[in-house]
Amino acid sequence: MKIVFATNNEHKLKEIRQLLENKHEIISLAEIGCHDDIPEDHDTLQDNALQKARYIKEHFGYDCFADDTGLEIEALNNRPGVYSARYAGPAKDSRKNMEKILTEMQGIAKRKACFRTVIALILNGEEHLFEGRADGEILTEQHGNAGFGYDPIFRPEGYAESFAEMSAEEKNKISHRGKATQKLAAFLKTITSETV
């Protein structure tokens, strides 16, 4: 099955392809010739994911899925949330985003946080939503070089390492995107088995 993943983020693309174990052909926006700056101007992850998926379906005609992910930090009233990618400005600079969080969290003892991912799938004219969540805490400094985004400052519950210190396989089993994608993969499996 050929499905467009509405992203040009190479890290996300690689992670999703690993998670779906190459059972489906996942195509990036670049591969369908989409270089548009797709709007995501809603207040919820769900609405942003749907907005992106609908844009691709409407403008390019492909079945597709899109995700939106947010880091929600309890002490910061669940910020940065939907603004996670551009928290320190429109450049979407991960290093600056992390620095801003670490500065805002200085001296705060309660560091509980969670990552949430919502995937919106448009397939055969129907919309489906899949959500994954990873609970954990914000570290006081960066640890590890793997992963991307806020991974070096997020330690998942029950683990001694940050996401950025884990192997891709280990992270994918427990991450927010991993859990949402597992739900997506399970759903796609039912579709393909029905059409065989």
Side-chain angles (χ1 to χ4, degrees):
M1 189 186 293
K2 197 180 278 194
I3 309 175
V4 172
F5 179 21
T7 188
N8 274 322
N9 181 320
E10 284 301 319
H11 296 292
K12 279 188 182 184
L13 206 55
K14 185 180 175 189
E15 199 169 83
I16 287 277
R17 283 173 174 156
Q18 283 175 334
L19 284 161
L20 291 175
E21 298 169 347
N22 300 319
K23 290 193 171 105
H24 306 282
E25 192 181 344
I26 306 302
I27 305 165
S28 71
L29 292 177
E31 289 172 287
I32 62 166
C34 175
H35 302 285
D36 306 0
D37 189 11
I38 301 173
E40 44 181 321
D41 48 22
H42 290 285
D43 295 330
T44 68
L45 299 174
Q46 174 178 323
D47 288 340
N48 277 340
L50 280 167
Q51 184 178 20
K52 288 188 276 188
R54 287 170 183 159
Y55 184 94
I56 296 307
K57 185 67 180 171
E58 193 180 314
H59 292 83
F60 294 87
Y62 289 95
D63 280 340
C64 64
F65 64 91
D67 80 319
D68 199 23
T69 294
L71 172 63
E72 298 174 354
I73 303 170
E74 213 171 77
L76 301 180
N77 297 316
N78 289 333
R79 287 196 323 271
V82 290
Y83 305 105
S84 294
R86 50 194 182 277
Y87 194 48
K92 297 184 177 181
D93 185 318
S94 295
R95 189 179 49 79
K96 287 182 178 169
N97 287 339
M98 283 191 283
E99 285 169 3
K100 183 173 180 179
I101 295 279
L102 291 175
T103 300
E104 290 182 339
M105 292 293 288
Q106 273 179 350
I108 296 175
K110 290 183 179 173
R111 306 184 75 83
K112 202 173 173 190
C114 78
F115 269 120
R116 286 198 312 120
T117 290
V118 175
I119 294 176
L121 168 70
I122 298 178
L123 187 66
N124 302 327
E126 292 182 359
E127 294 180 349
H128 307 273
L129 292 168
F130 309 93
E131 185 172 335
R133 177 186 171 117
D135 290 291
E137 64 177 353
I138 299 300
L139 298 168
T140 54
E141 58 185 30
Q142 297 180 38
H143 291 272
N145 301 307
F148 61 99
Y150 293 98
D151 286 357
I153 63 169
F154 182 84
R155 178 165 56 206
E157 217 169 64
Y159 289 81
E161 310 89 20
S162 75
F163 268 164
E165 294 174 294
M166 296 179 169
S167 68
E169 293 73 25
E170 193 178 7
K171 179 192 166 190
N172 287 343
K173 282 179 195 162
I174 60 165
S175 78
H176 44 296
R177 189 172 292 106
K179 289 173 183 171
T181 308
Q182 284 156 20
K183 291 176 185 176
L184 169 70
F187 176 76
L188 290 175
K189 202 173 172 184
T190 65
I191 296 294
T192 48
S193 61
E194 283 169 16
T195 54
V196 169

